[in-house]
C-alpha cells in the first residue's frame, strides 16, 4: 500500500524522505515493528512512542508519523509530521483496513450510565429480527461466534478498525458499540461516520488525572459524537442533553418519560416475580407497543427506550422488540442468579458511590423484606470512594456484608476498615467477611423470604487481582459451587 493512500484526508508535512513509497504494515507498538512498516508515534499516558522512533527504524520501519521532533533519521526513512498522531492514526487505520465502516451500519452509544446494557438490548433486538450484529463494549467484543475480552470500553482506533474489518469478513452488517468520553477525546472513533449516535445520560464521573479536567470538559467530549453521526438519539429528560448536543451536525430525536419526548414511556409498573425483578410500560409517540423488561427500575425503562428508538430505524416490528426485550440478559448488569424461590439475588457492576446509590434506591422501590448489599472496594484507588460507598450502603441497605473486591497491592483488611469508616457514619448494620466466596455463602445461607440480595462491584469481571496477579473468580461460579457444597 502506498503511504500517500494512507495519508489521504490528513493534513501533514513530509519533513524527510519520500511519501510516495510502499508500506507493508502499520503499527503503533514498537514491539511489533516489522521490515518496511509504518510506525505511528503515539504520546500516551505512560509511554511516548516518539522515544521509540529510532528503535523502530532499526527494526525496519520505513516511515514514521510524528507530532514532535525525533532524532534525525537516514534519508531512506520517511518522516511525516502531523498535529496529532492519535487523530492521524484513526484515519490511517481506516485506510489501512480498507475503510470497513463504509460497509457497516454503525451505532455509537455514549453517556455516563446505561451504555453496556443498551448495546446488548440493541444487539438482542436486531439479531432477533434477522440482522447480523457485531458488538464493541466494556465487557467484550463480539464478532460472530467469537467473543474477545475487552481492555477498554472503546479500543484504540487501530484495533477498532481491525475489528470492523473482521466483522465485514464475517458477513456482519451492523455494529453496536459503546463510545466512551475518553475515546472521543483521544480520537479513537475518528476516520468514519456513525449512522446513529445515542446519548443516555450524564453525571459527574471520570474527572481527574489522566481523565477529564472538569465536568465541562467531560460534557464537551461526550458531545463530539453528535458532530460525527448522521442521526442523534438523546435522552430528552437529561438536564444536560442540550449542552451535550450543542453545535451538532446531525438530526436529533428524543426519548424519555416527558410528554414532549418524541418516543416516550407511560404507565410504568414494577414486576416482582420469584427470583426476578422487572418493569412493564407502554411505548408512545414514534412507535407504539407494550413492553416488559426483566430488569428493575426506571433506568431499565430508559435503556429499553433507547434501544427501541434505535431499532425502529431498522424497521423492526413491535412484536420482535417485545420478544427480544423479554429475553435480553446482560452479564453483570442487575443480573439475576436463581438461588431460591424465597428471595432474589442479583449481580451488578456498581463500583462507585453514585452507581451504588442509584442501584440500591431502585431496589428499594420493590419494597423488599430486607435489602442486603455485599460489596468491597478496589485497592490502590481513592480512599474517598470507600468512605462514600460505605456510607451509601449503610444508609440504603438493611444489612451490609463488607468483603474484598480487587485488593491489588493493598491489604484487604485495610480497605474494609476504610469502608467501615463510611458505614459507621450511619446506623446501618453490617458484618465483615474478607473472603468473597464466604461472604456470598453467608448472604445465601441467611437469606430471608422477600429479601433482595445484591452482589455489587464485580459484575462481569471474572477475576480477583491480588499483588499484581489476576486469579480466576467469577461470582456465578462461586454461587454454583456454594449451592453444590451446601446441598451435599
Amino acid at each position: 500500500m502506498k503511504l500517500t493512500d494512507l495519508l489521504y484526508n490528513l493534513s501533514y508535512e513530509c519533513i524527510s524522505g519520500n511519501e510516495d513509497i510502499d508500506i507493508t504494515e502499520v503499527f503503533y507498538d514498537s514491539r511489533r515493528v516489522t521490515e518496511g512498516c509504518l510506525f505511528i508515534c503515539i504520546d500516551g499516558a505512560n509511554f511516548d512512542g516518539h522515544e521509540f522512533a529510532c528503535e523502530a527504524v532499526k527494526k525496519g520501519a520505513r516511515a514514521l508519523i510524528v507530532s514532535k521532533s525525533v532524532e534525525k533519521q537516514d534519508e531512506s526513512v520517511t518522516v511525516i509530521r502531523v498535529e496529532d498522531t492519535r487523530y492521524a492514526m484513526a484515519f490511517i487505520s481506516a485506510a489501512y483496513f480498507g475503510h470497513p465502516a463504509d460497509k457497516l451500519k454503525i451505532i455509537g452509544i455514549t453517556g455516563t450510565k446505561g451504555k453496556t446494557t443498551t448495546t446488548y438490548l440493541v444487539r438482542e433486538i436486531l439479531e432477533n429480527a434477522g440482522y447480523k450484529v457485531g458488538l464493541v463494549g466494556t465487557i467484550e467484543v463480539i464478532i460472530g461466534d467469537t467473543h474477545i475480552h475487552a481492555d477498554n470500553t472503546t479500543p484504540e482506533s487501530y484495533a477498532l478498525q481491525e475489528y470492523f474489518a473482521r466483522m465485514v469478513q464475517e458477513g456482519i452488517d451492523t455494529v453496536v458499540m459503546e463510545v466512551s468520553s475518553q475515546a472521543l477525546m483521544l480520537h479513537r472513533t475518528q476516520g468514519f461516520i456513525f449512522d446513529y449516535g445515542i446519548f443516555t445520560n450524564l453525571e459527574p464521573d471520570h474527572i481527574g488525572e489522566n481523565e477529564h479536567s472538569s465536568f465541562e470538559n467531560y460534557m464537551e467530549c461526550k458531545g463530539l459524537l453528535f458532530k460525527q453521526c448522521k442521526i442523534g438519539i438523546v435522552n430528552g429528560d437529561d438536564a444536560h442533553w442540550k449542552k451535550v448536543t450543542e453545535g451538532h451536525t446531525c438530526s436529533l430525536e428524543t426519548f424519555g418519560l416527558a410528554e414532549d419526548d418524541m418516543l416516550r414511556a407511560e404507565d410504568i409498573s414494577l414486576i416482582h416475580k420469584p427470583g426476578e425483578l422487572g418493569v412493564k410500560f407502554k411505548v408512545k409517540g414514534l412507535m407504539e407497543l407494550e413492553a416488559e423488561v426483566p430488569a428493575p427500575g426506571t433506568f431499565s425503562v430508559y435503556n429499553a427506550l433507547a434501544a427501541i428508538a434505535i431499532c425502529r430505524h431498522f424497521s423492526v416490528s413491535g412484536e420482535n422488540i417485545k420478544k427480544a426485550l423479554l429475553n435480553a440478559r446482560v452479564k453483570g448488569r442487575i443480573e439475576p442468579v436463581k438461588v431460591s424461590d424465597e428471595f432474589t439475588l442479583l449481580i451488578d457492576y456498581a463500583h462507585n458511590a453514585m452507581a451504588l446509590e442509584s442501584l440500591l434506591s431502585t431496589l428499594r422501590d420493590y419494597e423488599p423484606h430486607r435489602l442486603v448489599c455485599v460489596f468491597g472496594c478496589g485497592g490502590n484507588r481513592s480512599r474517598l470512594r470507600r468512605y462514600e460507598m460505605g456510607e451509601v450502603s449503610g444508609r440504603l441497605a438493611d444489612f451490609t456484608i463488607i468483603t474484598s473486591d480487587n485488593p491489588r497491592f493493598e491489604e484487604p483488611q485495610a480497605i474494609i476498615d476504610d469502608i467501615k469508616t463510611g458505614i459507621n457514619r450511619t446506623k446501618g448494620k453490617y458484618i465483615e467477611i474478607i473472603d468473597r466466596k464466604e461472604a456470598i455463602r453467608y448472604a445465601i445461607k441467611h437469606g430471608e423470604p422477600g429479601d433482595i440480595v445484591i452482589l455489587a462491584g464485580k459484575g462481569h469481571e471474572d477475576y480477583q487481582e491480588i499483588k499484581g496477579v489476576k486469579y480466576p473468580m467469577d461470582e456465578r461460579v462461586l454461587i454454583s459451587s456454594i449451592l453444590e457444597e451446601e446441598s451435599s
Side-chain angles (χ1 to χ4, degrees), residues 9 16 32 40 42 46 106 111 191 194 213-214 224 229 235 253 273 278 299 343 346 356 362 400 419 437 488:
N9 281 335
S16 68
R32 298 182 61 193
I40 305 172
I42 299 297
N46 300 313
I106 301 184
F194 288 92
S213 57
S214 64
L224 293 173
C229 71
N235 178 353
E253 299 175 5
K273 301 176 183 177
F299 57 77
F343 64 90
L346 306 163
L356 189 63
T362 293
T400 301
I419 295 170
K437 180 178 179 180
S488 60

Side-chain angles (χ1 to χ4, degrees), residues 125 289-292 317-327:
I125 293 170
L289 62 117
E290 293 188 3
E292 180 178 334
S317 71
E319 285 305 310
N320 268 334
I321 288 174
K322 288 172 63 174
K323 179 182 175 183
L325 288 177
L326 274 172
N327 293 329

